[in-house]
């Protein structure tokens, strides 16, 4: 039996994931709020920056606890890191937690007999939510890394948002580009995510159109009087 099959056949892990995904998504939003406050708050607002840092630390501790519980309930031990690579990635880089939007929605839908949205509507919803949260996270990270760097073209948070929009949509105007090594790593990751999201939306739209045309063809021309 494969590691993946073992993980999926653990009832305790499945129950934990269904119960914890939505609260952890809220925690990820709080983490993002704390990080945004820490990055964007003026340097003289020490109280707010300290509160934001405490919020970020508390939310990350929740992520660590959740990760430890998942390892214990899975029964996989150290193999959990490889089988659940997305969980490991977002633990190390919490700003990537928006990538778990799909798993959150899936966990919620498992509590219902049927999804409330069609497949195509769900793809659009996933892509929209992921683009918004991932773009905002990337803009924060790049602004944090770039705005004080020598020769940087991303000096304000507005510049960072513009850069994130251009990168996610694969337009890439080139008027704002990261110059630091870590900033370019963030940019490469956002490019990959932008291509994946664009491919998902394009593929879903094409499939929907093909099925719509096929249904029209099956109806045939109206019968003449």
């Amino acid at each position: 039996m494969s590691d993946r099959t073992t993980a999926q056949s653990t009832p305790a892990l499945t129950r934990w994931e269904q119960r914890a995904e939505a609260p952890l998504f809220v925690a990820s939003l709080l983490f993002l709020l704390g990080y945004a406050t820490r990055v964007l708050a003026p340097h003289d607002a020490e109280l707010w920056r300290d509160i934001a840092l405490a919020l970020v630390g508390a939310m990350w501790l929740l992520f660590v606890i959740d990760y430890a519980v998942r390892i214990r309930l899975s029964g996989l031990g150290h193999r959990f890191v490889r089988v659940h690579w997305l969980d490991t990635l977002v633990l190390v880089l919490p700003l990537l937690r928006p990538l778990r939007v799909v798993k959150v929605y899936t966990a919620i839908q498992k509590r219902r007999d049927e999804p409330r949205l069609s497949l195509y509507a769900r793809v659009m919803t996933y892509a929209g939510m992921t683009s918004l949260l991932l773009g905002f996270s990337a803009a924060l990270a790049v602004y944090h890394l770039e705005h004080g760097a020598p020769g940087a073209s991303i000096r304000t948070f507005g510049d960072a948002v513009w850069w994130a929009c251009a990168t996610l949509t694969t337009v890439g105007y080139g008027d704002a580009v990261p110059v630091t090594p870590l900033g370019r790593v963030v940019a490469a990751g956002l490019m990959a995510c932008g291509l994946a999201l664009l491919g998902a939306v394009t593929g879903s739209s094409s499939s929907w159109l093909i099925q719509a045309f096929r249904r029209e063809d099956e109806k045939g021309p109206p019968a003449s009087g």
Side-chain angles (χ1 to χ4, degrees):
M1 182 179 296
S2 66
D3 293 343
R4 187 173 181 82
T5 303
T6 303
Q8 291 180 342
S9 63
T10 306
L13 178 61
T14 301
R15 288 195 299 270
W16 173 264
E17 288 180 339
Q18 291 179 2
R19 294 173 181 173
E21 282 296 346
L24 284 173
F25 181 66
V26 174
S28 70
L29 294 180
L30 292 175
F31 179 95
L32 188 59
L33 174 63
Y35 182 69
T37 302
R38 180 74 180 178
V39 171
L40 300 177
H43 290 287
D44 57 353
E46 288 297 331
L47 177 61
W48 287 108
R49 291 170 61 85
D50 291 343
I51 293 175
L53 182 61
L55 181 63
V56 167
M59 294 304 102
W60 189 75
L61 181 60
L62 286 179
F63 302 152
V64 172
I65 293 173
D66 169 69
Y67 189 79
V69 171
R70 289 173 189 264
I71 291 178
R72 181 175 180 84
L73 295 180
S74 69
L76 294 175
H78 68 277
R79 292 173 296 170
F80 183 91
V81 176
R82 175 167 53 86
V83 176
H84 296 268
W85 60 270
L86 181 58
D87 293 325
T88 306
L89 182 63
V90 298
L91 177 67
V92 177
L93 301 172
L95 285 177
L96 294 180
R97 289 196 72 89
L99 292 174
R100 294 181 60 89
V101 167
V102 173
K103 292 193 68 175
V104 173
Y105 184 85
T106 302
I108 293 174
Q109 289 299 315
K110 285 180 180 178
R111 302 179 186 179
R112 305 184 180 128
D113 294 333
E114 295 181 358
R116 293 187 177 181
L117 297 177
S118 67
L119 173 62
Y120 309 111
R122 276 180 285 166
V123 171
M124 297 300 180
T125 301
Y126 299 156
M129 292 179 64
T130 303
S131 298
L132 181 63
L133 293 173
L134 196 61
F136 182 64
S137 300
L140 282 173
V142 164
Y143 172 69
H144 186 199
L145 295 167
E146 294 286 322
H147 74 282
S153 57
I154 301 175
R155 293 290 186 179
T156 66
F157 183 63
D159 293 337
V161 172
W162 171 253
W163 164 84
C165 292
T167 304
L168 264 178
T169 56
T170 68
V171 174
Y173 282 109
D175 55 343
V177 294
V179 297
T180 64
L182 287 178
R184 290 176 176 175
V185 169
V186 174
L190 193 61
M191 291 174 194
C193 291
L195 288 172
L197 290 169
L198 183 62
V201 172
T202 303
S204 178
S205 300
S206 301
S207 179
W208 178 80
L209 287 173
I210 290 173
Q211 290 198 15
F213 292 144
R214 183 177 299 168
R215 286 194 297 267
E216 290 296 325
D217 290 340
E218 290 174 353
K219 291 179 181 179
S224 60

